[in-house]
Amino acid sequence: MAYESLDAYAEQFERERQSSAERADALKNLLFGDAWRDA
């Protein structure tokens, strides 16, 4: 039962990490356009 609880947290952390990366990419696009992707 404890393992299943940890698995649920792992999924939540993965979603938060993913959304954090998406926010970072959106901010980079806003500030630099697509130029940062070429670096």
Side-chain angles (χ1 to χ4, degrees), residues 9-33:
Y9 283 116
E11 290 175 8
Q12 178 183 354
F13 292 146
E14 179 62 22
R15 283 193 304 270
E16 289 176 5
R17 184 196 64 78
Q18 220 171 20
S19 63
S20 176
E22 290 169 355
R23 287 191 300 266
D25 285 346
L27 182 58
K28 289 176 193 173
N29 282 334
L30 178 66
L31 294 175
F32 306 112

